């Protein structure tokens, strides 16, 4: 039976809305947002990060990735099976339930699906070789997207936390946490479709016919850092993730010649992602904290988004040395200067690299709360 493309896409959207993963991620996002609110209210007495920050700024990346993968799937005949879709959904839900966003990398999610199906896929589908190659290629693509998400992380997209060190000092740390929902179209062995145009390519699927399915997918990460500003560390991790993505993509293309190379590709993706996480954990555990509560020092722990301090360019990790030529060593002194010089402020700041700079501003802020700066 022939099914036109429009009907097939409508059916794909209906199936998409029936997928429990879509509703699970909505519930998960609400739960994580509530948890952040409770933690920040407990530590800072107010909400200091925007709601649903994990998802903020991901819509454009999501749409572009969805379009690229869907075009690749339809143009080059990338294949999924219903077994893969089911395993992916279950894996994402389990990993998200247990670890939130920490293990929602394609290396883990798609890698697990691959390893579970590899022994039996040849007996289930005649196009198993093409399916395995599709999985490895998708891992590479999603790792590229993960690197882009990491590179796009700003200080405002991290989550600040106070904690006690092993020596009893109060230090500041940040969670680099991001999640991105990416639905994409894939070909699944099923019913035959009529091409949109007469020149539309046909796909070598043997004797099998196929249909289009819209698949919900989620990628994410969660790193705990304290040695430097969140943006700088996020970009270092992004570079490592991008390198892994390139290696996986190269092996993915080579896997067209051997199914065992595709298995090697998945193993490289999983081990590589584990090594990145372990390296970040080891480096951050050994490193000295950038933010440490010290008497007579005003190092900026957090700057509220869209606050006066944010608009004039005060950054996380900088130390406020003087305000209006008056040395300030405590929050009480800073509050006093702000209260007596509300309309015009000159900040003398020192960065982590010990370089000093001066900010001349016309802001109205007669308290730290209005200025939008948080210290430990």
């Amino acid at each position: 039976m022939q099914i036109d493309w429009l009907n097939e896409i409508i059916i794909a959207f209906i199936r998409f809305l029936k997928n429990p993963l879509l509703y699970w991620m909505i519930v998960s996002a609400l739960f994580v947002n509530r948890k952040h609110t409770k933690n920040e209210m407990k530590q800072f007495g107010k909400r200091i990060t925007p709601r649903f920050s994990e998802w903020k700024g991901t819509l454009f990346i999501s749409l572009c990735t969805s379009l690229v993968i869907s075009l690749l799937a339809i143009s080059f005949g990338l294949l999924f099976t219903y077994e893969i879709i089911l395993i992916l959904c279950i894996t994402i839900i389990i990993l998200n339930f247990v670890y939130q966003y920490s293990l929602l990398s394609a290396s883990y999610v798609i890698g697990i699906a691959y390893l579970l199906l590899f022994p039996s896929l040849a007996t289930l589908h005649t196009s198993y070789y093409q399916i395995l190659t599709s999985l490895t290629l998708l891992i590479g693509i999603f790792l590229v997207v993960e690197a882009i998400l990491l590179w796009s992380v700003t200080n405002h997209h991290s989550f600040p936390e106070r904690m006690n060190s092993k020596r009893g000092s109060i230090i500041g740390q940040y969670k680099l946490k991001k999640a991105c929902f990416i639905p994409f179209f894939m070909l699944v062995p099923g019913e035959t479709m009529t091409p949109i145009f007469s020149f539309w390519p046909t796909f070598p699927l043997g004797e099998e016919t196929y249909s289009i399915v819209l698949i919900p997918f989620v990628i994410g990460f969660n790193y705990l850092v304290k040695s430097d500003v969140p943006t700088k560390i996020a970009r270092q991790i992004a570079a490592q993730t991008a390198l892994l993505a390139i290696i996986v993509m190269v092996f993915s293309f080579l896997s067209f010649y051997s199914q065992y190379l595709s298995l090697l590709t998945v193993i490289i993706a999983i081990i590589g992602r584990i090594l990145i996480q372990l390296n970040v954990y080891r480096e951050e555990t050994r490193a000295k904290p950038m933010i440490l509560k010290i008497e007579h020092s005003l190092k900026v722990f957090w700057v509220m988004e869209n606050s006066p301090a944010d608009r004039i360019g005060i950054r996380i990790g900088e130390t406020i040395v003087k305000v209006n030529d008056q040395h300030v060593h405590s929050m009480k002194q800073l509050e006093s200067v702000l209260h007596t010089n509300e309309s015009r402020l000159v900040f003398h700041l020192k960065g982590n690299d010990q370089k000093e700079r001066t900010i001349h501003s016309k802001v109205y802020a007669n308290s730290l709360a209005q200025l939008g700066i948080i210290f430990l």
Side-chain angles (χ1 to χ4, degrees):
M1 176 175 134
Q2 298 289 319
I3 300 180
D4 61 40
W5 284 78
L6 180 59
N7 287 341
E8 186 68 18
I9 291 174
I10 291 173
I11 292 172
F13 272 105
I14 293 174
R15 290 171 177 168
F16 173 78
L17 294 174
K18 292 181 179 179
N19 194 307
L21 178 60
L22 175 64
Y23 305 101
W24 170 265
M25 292 313 301
I26 293 174
V27 173
S28 174
L30 292 170
F31 173 78
V32 172
N33 178 71
R34 184 172 179 272
K35 185 177 179 181
H36 280 315
T37 301
K38 290 178 67 176
N39 287 342
E40 290 177 5
M41 290 296 294
K42 182 179 179 180
Q43 291 195 18
F44 309 107
K46 60 182 177 180
R47 181 80 197 231
I48 64 173
T49 59
R51 297 182 185 278
F52 304 104
S53 291
E54 302 92 342
W55 304 88
K56 190 175 181 180
T58 64
L59 179 59
F60 180 74
I61 296 173
S62 172
L63 292 175
C64 290
T65 306
S66 178
L67 180 62
V68 168
I69 294 176
S70 299
L71 290 176
L72 286 175
I74 296 174
S75 300
F76 296 101
L78 302 184
L79 296 180
F80 261 26
T81 66
Y82 288 109
E83 293 90 349
I84 291 174
I85 297 171
L86 178 62
I87 291 176
L88 287 178
C89 290
I90 293 173
T91 303
I92 291 174
I93 290 173
I94 292 175
L95 292 179
N96 180 242
F97 178 77
V98 179
Y99 300 103
Q100 290 188 12
Y101 304 129
S102 298
L103 300 184
L104 288 187
S105 171
S107 292
Y108 302 135
V109 176
I110 300 180
I112 290 172
Y114 181 103
L115 295 176
L116 289 175
L117 288 172
F118 182 81
S120 58
L121 197 59
T123 60
L124 295 174
H125 296 278
T126 57
S127 303
Y128 75 96
Y129 187 64
Q130 196 168 354
I131 294 169
L132 294 178
T133 304
S134 300
L135 287 172
T136 58
L137 184 59
L138 281 177
I139 293 176
I141 293 173
F142 281 123
L143 282 174
V144 171
V145 177
E146 187 176 329
I148 293 172
L149 287 171
L150 278 160
W151 191 268
S152 68
V153 168
T154 66
N155 291 332
H156 291 307
H157 292 161
S158 61
F159 297 88
E161 294 181 345
R162 287 190 180 114
M163 70 167 293
N164 293 321
S165 68
K166 293 180 179 179
R167 297 181 178 180
S169 302
I170 299 176
I171 64 173
Q173 61 184 15
Y174 306 89
K175 283 186 176 180
L176 306 177
K177 185 184 291 189
K178 208 77 173 172
C180 186
F181 184 73
I182 306 174
F184 58 92
F185 288 100
M186 286 292 286
L187 300 175
V188 174
E191 297 176 281
T192 306
M193 294 182 300
T194 303
I196 299 176
F197 306 109
S198 58
F199 56 81
W200 194 261
T202 57
F203 312 113
L205 307 182
E207 298 179 354
E208 287 189 289
T209 58
Y210 59 88
S211 59
I212 286 183
V213 174
L214 182 58
I215 301 170
F217 194 76
V218 181
I219 62 172
F221 54 81
N222 185 9
Y223 296 96
L224 190 62
V225 301
K226 65 174 189 264
S227 63
D228 212 326
V229 292
T231 299
K232 184 177 179 180
I233 299 178
R235 293 192 172 184
Q236 292 172 355
I237 302 172
Q240 298 171 18
T241 306
L243 177 60
L244 177 62
I246 292 171
I247 295 172
V248 170
M249 293 283 277
V250 170
F251 274 87
S252 178
F253 286 118
L254 293 176
S255 68
F256 280 98
Y257 302 100
S258 170
Q259 69 182 61
Y260 294 105
L261 275 178
S262 70
L263 176 60
L264 177 62
T265 304
V266 171
I267 293 173
I268 290 172
I270 294 174
I271 294 177
R273 188 61 171 73
I274 292 173
L275 289 177
I276 290 173
Q277 283 188 285
L278 289 177
N279 180 62
V280 173
Y281 175 78
R282 184 179 66 251
E283 292 296 326
E284 292 302 311
T285 301
R286 293 175 178 176
K288 293 181 179 179
M290 177 186 69
I291 306 293
L292 177 66
K293 189 171 183 179
I294 302 175
E295 294 294 331
H296 311 302
S297 177
L298 288 176
K299 180 167 278 193
V300 178
F301 175 47
W302 187 251
V303 179
M304 301 283 288
E305 189 172 13
N306 297 321
S307 65
D310 184 31
R311 290 194 292 270
I312 65 176
I314 295 177
R315 304 166 190 159
I316 291 173
E318 291 187 311
T319 301
I320 299 177
V321 180
K322 292 190 292 184
V323 180
N324 290 1
D325 290 326
Q326 298 182 47
H327 285 275
V328 288
H329 303 288
S330 66
M331 287 187 283
K332 186 176 181 180
Q333 289 179 332
L334 181 55
E335 286 269 14
S336 177
V337 175
L338 292 175
H339 188 70
T340 55
N341 300 273
E342 299 176 356
S343 58
R344 185 173 180 82
L345 298 169
V346 180
F347 291 89
H348 297 267
L349 307 166
K350 183 184 289 185
N352 286 329
D353 54 5
Q354 301 305 308
K355 291 182 179 180
E356 296 187 9
R357 68 189 185 105
T358 302
I359 296 177
H360 297 264
S361 66
K362 291 182 179 180
V363 296
Y364 178 81
N366 62 3
S367 66
L368 280 176
Q370 287 189 355
L371 188 60
I373 293 178
I374 294 177
F375 302 99
L376 284 184

